[in-house]
Amino acid sequence: MTKRRNLAPWLLVLPSALYLAVFFATPMAQSFALALQDSAGSWSLESVQLMLGDPDFGRAVSATLTLLVLVIPIQLALALAMAIVINKRLRGTSLWLYCYALPLAISELAAGIVWVSIFTQRGWLNSILQSLGILDRGVIWMSGESYWMLIGIIVVAEAWRATSIMMIILVAGLQSIPDEYLEAAEVYGASLWQRIRRVILPMLRPSLQVALILRVILAIQVFATAVALAGTGLTVMSQQALDWANDIDNDNVAAAWAGLMLVISLTATVGILWLLPVREEQRQ
Amino acid sequence: MSEIRLERIVKTFKDVRAVDDVSLTVAQGEFMVLLGPSGCGKTTLLRSIAGLEDIDAGRVVIGGRDVTELPPRARRVAMVFQSYAVFPHMSVFENIAFGLRMSKVEKTTLTRRVRSAAELLHIEALLDRYPSQVSGGQRQRIAVARAIAMEPDVLLMDEPLSNLDALLRLEMRAELKRLLNEIGSTTVYVTHDQVEAMSMGDRIAVMRAGRILQLGDPLTIYQTPVDRFVGGFIGSPPMNFLPATVRDGGDGLRAEVQDAGSLRLDGTAAWLTGRIGQAVTMGVRAEDIDVVEDGGADGVLRGRILVVEPLGSHDLLTVRLGESRLKVATRPGIALRADDPVVLRPQVERLVWLDPESDRALERPASAA
């Protein structure tokens, strides 16, 4: 009897453990193994050295991290503001929620193409600016020569596309904060900004953790938006992995890229957990 | 200076008038209790004073200042919430200091006021802990300390004791009363617990369906409720109500209770003369009924005991009297049991008379008072 009871939790965990082992742990181990072999299949650091020696290596890593560093704070601020507005439960709130969440339903590539149609030389932005008389001729926004312009455009598109996933996590988090905390803060003299800083943000920590980790990992994997908007004008890390696998036909270096992205994601996750600890004594 | 004046407050939620044209003045330093069943509008009224509800009509004046349009933080009130709303991510010290920090109180003053508030509530040993590390009762003390550290002119309390267990509630009730006496804030205290209201309030406003039914000091409300609802709501057990008819007994007025007997109404109830032949409702408190020996006496009510509940300090009898039941409190250890006949003599001068149609107390002519 006792024995069977001790077995029960393990049996319950088994299906998901199997799933993770087959579909995540195994490919991950294989990918690391690939990265640590040369193309002939013997163990060596050749693939990693090839990746590091690639002239595009620095550009891809810095473009990806630059995008991440720019887009995450913008998304965090926007998502928080949107979540607070929605949590006010004003009239028409659910309509706002749907509007905000709509980009979630659009594929990354489609979203990228939509933004291309906005920023292209004969696109929406130029048309509007011209018809308003602000511009005489269309500006070439997406030129390969202007790196920072491309970065800016991708940041805007990514902010539009992927802010709502953060927002939805934060809305859920906000709704779990009882109103009386905010009311108490209000009665005791806290302004809106003080309420955000002293009550909402600290109590939202668990949700902030999740939202940040999720978004940072996805930002490290940024791909389709960048490809659609920048083409060859700018290269990101996933692009490099793809190029090495498809164009150069070297799975080992592609695996090295994948491994690098994993290591960066892992580091970022640990960093976020360390920066935003949720201490046991602070819990409800 | 910090009198609270509420003028014709109206607050509607969808189709429900939660607060329906309520006016109330709480004097400087007074302890006012808003008492009523859930949904009577007492909490909404309190929240209107705090500014946590936008009222649809009326004015809130605190200390001569019209604060109707001001946000909560500009009203200079302190509030203790039902759930305490003690911030889980701040230490006890920071919780108590919260309001002082918001109003940028200078550091040494802040520390002194936090410490003295904590001492008043006997939680000075907990200042470094977090709320999750202290008991529910201590969290409640933190919430009160946070309020009194503000040295507020106006203190609002929303059922502060309702989440405590019975023993702790009894203890905190007395302690809060002592504390509030000491600091002398004008206090508005919401509760649905009539014992709390009776024991703590200088005055009680009994509310129902968004209106104040009766406003007065606890004893007056207890002894002379304005209607059947108030009499039934205040007191444990609730006031008994018996249907009766006013008769001219030849030797004076009598109130006849069907199948039970009739009471001689002399002195204080003589003003019922105008009601001869009419039905009335007689209200009587359980402790205002004496159990007497049956000597074939006149002016008593005869019934049969249904239940005897020995409660230590007294015995509580449930008696069937004609068609009615009533509760009678007697000295403990009474030698009566269920099914025994019993003879009751209510103290006539303590009776309350109501109109059976409206359930409102009959107006006693001023000359007879």
Side-chain angles (χ1 to χ4, degrees):
Chain A
M1 199 55 201
T2 329
K3 207 166 186 187
R4 189 184 295 170
R5 204 183 302 149
N6 288 343
L7 215 56
W10 297 105
L11 284 173
L12 291 170
V13 166
L14 193 63
S16 54
L18 273 177
Y19 178 85
L20 285 172
V22 173
F23 293 105
F24 285 88
T26 313
M28 203 167 83
Q30 283 175 341
S31 153
F32 272 117
L34 265 182
L36 296 174
Q37 289 168 5
D38 59 23
S39 42
S42 47
W43 297 102
S44 88
L45 286 175
E46 187 192 282
S47 303
V48 177
Q49 278 159 352
L50 270 174
M51 172 182 78
L52 295 172
D54 186 329
D56 277 340
F57 177 80
R59 294 203 296 139
V61 172
S62 81
T64 304
L65 295 184
T66 308
L67 283 173
L68 183 147
V69 166
L70 290 176
V71 83
I72 299 287
I74 293 174
Q75 288 186 326
L76 185 61
L78 279 177
L80 193 63
M82 282 149 72
I84 288 171
V85 168
I86 282 175
N87 203 42
K88 276 270 176 193
R89 292 182 210 115
L90 304 172
R91 192 179 307 222
T93 291
S94 44
L95 186 68
W96 281 116
L97 187 60
Y98 285 126
C99 289
Y100 286 160
L102 211 56
L104 273 184
I106 297 172
S107 88
E108 200 181 340
L109 189 58
I113 292 168
V114 168
W115 282 94
V116 168
S117 75
I118 292 173
F119 284 115
T120 192
Q121 199 178 351
R122 293 179 177 280
W124 291 88
L125 184 59
N126 279 339
S127 308
I128 291 170
L129 291 178
Q130 277 173 304
S131 65
L132 288 175
I134 296 169
L135 288 181
D136 294 338
R137 295 184 303 134
V139 172
I140 305 171
W141 303 103
M142 300 187 301
S143 137
E145 282 145 36
S146 176
Y147 177 74
W148 287 105
M149 187 68 94
L150 285 176
I151 290 273
I153 288 170
I154 298 171
V155 165
V156 170
E158 277 290 280
W160 177 82
R161 192 184 64 77
T163 299
S164 40
I165 183 74
M166 267 183 134
M167 177 205 70
I168 283 172
I169 295 170
L170 295 186
V171 166
L174 274 182
Q175 283 172 352
S176 72
I177 301 177
D179 287 341
E180 283 201 340
Y181 288 115
L182 297 174
E183 288 178 353
E186 214 176 334
V187 166
Y188 286 102
S191 61
L192 176 63
W193 171 240
Q194 284 169 322
R195 291 202 293 279
I196 291 175
R197 204 172 63 85
R198 308 269 321 224
V199 181
I200 294 181
L201 285 179
M203 296 193 73
L204 209 52
R205 259 188 194 190
S207 308
L208 282 172
Q209 262 185 6
V210 175
L212 272 177
I213 289 171
L214 194 68
R215 262 314 294 152
V216 165
I217 290 175
L218 290 175
I220 289 164
Q221 296 169 5
V222 65
F223 178 59
T225 319
V227 171
L229 282 165
T232 52
L234 186 146
T235 184
V236 291
M237 293 170 73
S238 339
Q239 172 87 63
Q240 288 300 312
L242 188 72
D243 285 352
W244 277 97
N246 279 359
D247 300 352
I248 307 172
D249 204 10
N250 186 332
D251 288 348
N252 302 87
V253 180
W257 275 105
L260 178 65
M261 286 162 69
L262 184 72
V263 168
I264 296 177
S265 300
L266 214 60
T267 315
T269 303
V270 171
I272 290 167
L273 289 175
W274 181 74
L275 276 172
L276 289 175
V278 179
R279 284 195 290 273
E280 197 53 43
E281 69 263 26
Q282 295 180 351
R283 289 187 197 277
Q284 266 288 63
Chain B
M1 272 201 348
S2 52
E3 168 196 87
I4 304 170
R5 210 164 66 240
L6 306 177
E7 296 172 0
R8 311 204 61 172
I9 308 275
V10 176
K11 173 67 189 179
T12 310
F13 294 111
K14 294 230 170 76
D15 301 327
V16 184
R17 283 208 151 193
V19 177
D20 191 0
D21 197 11
V22 168
S23 297
L24 177 68
T25 300
V26 186
Q28 151 97 38
E30 186 178 23
F31 193 132
M32 172 69 74
V33 177
L34 304 180
L35 173 69
S38 60
C40 73
K42 57 191 190 297
T43 294
T44 307
L45 189 60
L46 187 83
R47 291 168 56 85
S48 304
I49 302 174
L52 294 171
E53 302 286 352
D54 290 326
I55 54 177
D56 301 327
R59 293 207 314 152
V60 179
V61 181
I62 298 175
R65 193 168 63 119
D66 186 338
V67 299
T68 315
E69 300 298 325
L70 295 181
R73 63 198 165 93
R75 297 195 178 195
R76 289 185 231 130
V77 300
M79 184 159 169
V80 177
F81 290 82
Q82 183 172 9
S83 69
Y84 315 147
V86 167
F87 302 118
H89 57 285
M90 293 180 200
S91 67
V92 173
F93 183 96
E94 282 305 318
N95 263 289
I96 300 174
F98 187 83
L100 301 174
R101 286 220 194 279
M102 292 301 114
S103 41
K104 303 206 162 44
V105 169
E106 176 263 333
K107 197 165 181 264
T108 50
T109 318
L110 179 137
T111 311
R112 181 176 53 74
R113 276 163 69 172
V114 169
R115 291 211 169 275
S116 84
E119 274 164 30
L120 272 173
L121 272 307
H122 308 303
I123 48 172
E124 62 270 35
L126 307 176
L127 286 173
D128 293 331
R129 297 215 199 152
Y130 280 87
S132 62
Q133 299 166 319
V134 305
S135 70
Q138 288 167 332
R139 240 173 280 174
Q140 206 268 348
R141 285 165 185 268
I142 299 169
V144 176
R146 178 173 63 185
I148 65 170
M150 296 293 286
E151 296 174 4
D153 290 337
V154 168
L155 181 55
L156 307 175
M157 301 186 128
D158 184 9
E159 309 232 13
L161 303 183
S162 65
N163 286 348
L164 301 180
D165 63 58
L167 200 64
L168 210 52
R169 198 179 316 159
L170 198 68
E171 188 188 313
M172 267 315 271
R173 198 168 78 201
E175 203 175 320
L176 265 188
K177 189 172 182 177
R178 162 191 70 82
L179 194 71
L180 294 173
N181 247 330
E182 218 163 290
I183 63 175
S185 301
T186 308
T187 305
V188 182
Y189 186 105
V190 162
T191 182
H192 65 270
D193 181 336
Q194 50 91 18
V195 181
E196 232 169 87
M198 291 281 299
S199 68
M200 297 177 83
D202 292 327
R203 280 196 299 163
I204 300 175
V206 185
M207 291 186 67
R208 187 192 193 186
R211 289 169 175 274
I212 294 178
L213 296 180
Q214 188 169 8
L215 175 66
D217 66 273
L219 215 57
T220 306
I221 292 181
Y222 184 80
Q223 288 171 346
T224 53
V226 293
D227 65 8
R228 189 168 178 145
F229 172 80
V230 175
F233 194 74
I234 304 253
S236 175
M239 184 174 251
N240 296 297
F241 295 100
L242 294 172
T245 312
V246 182
R247 300 267 184 227
D248 180 2
D251 55 343
L253 274 189
R254 280 177 173 269
E256 186 182 295
V257 179
Q258 207 180 1
D259 300 328
S262 70
L263 302 176
R264 217 194 296 266
L265 301 183
D266 30 41
T268 51
W271 55 275
L272 284 169
T273 318
R275 293 249 162 194
I276 289 173
Q278 291 179 19
V280 290
T281 300
M282 192 173 93
V284 58
R285 291 283 177 197
E287 68 274 20
D288 293 338
I289 305 171
D290 298 325
V291 176
V292 295
E293 295 291 320
D294 190 359
D298 184 30
V300 294
L301 301 176
R302 289 163 210 279
R304 194 168 283 279
I305 291 180
L306 290 173
V307 186
V308 179
E309 295 170 81
L311 297 176
S313 62
H314 61 280
D315 284 0
L316 189 62
L317 314 181
T318 306
V319 177
R320 196 172 65 222
L321 210 64
E323 293 295 298
S324 317
R325 288 170 179 218
L326 81 170
K327 302 276 188 191
V328 180
T330 69
R331 61 182 165 72
I334 193 162
L336 286 170
R337 289 189 307 184
D339 259 1
D340 286 351
V342 66
V343 180
L344 305 173
R345 189 198 297 282
Q347 297 169 25
V348 175
E349 70 283 2
R350 296 245 175 166
L351 296 180
V352 176
W353 303 95
L354 302 98
D355 181 332
E357 297 291 318
S358 68
D359 277 333
R360 294 193 56 78
L362 293 170
E363 289 288 333
R364 177 189 303 233
S367 56

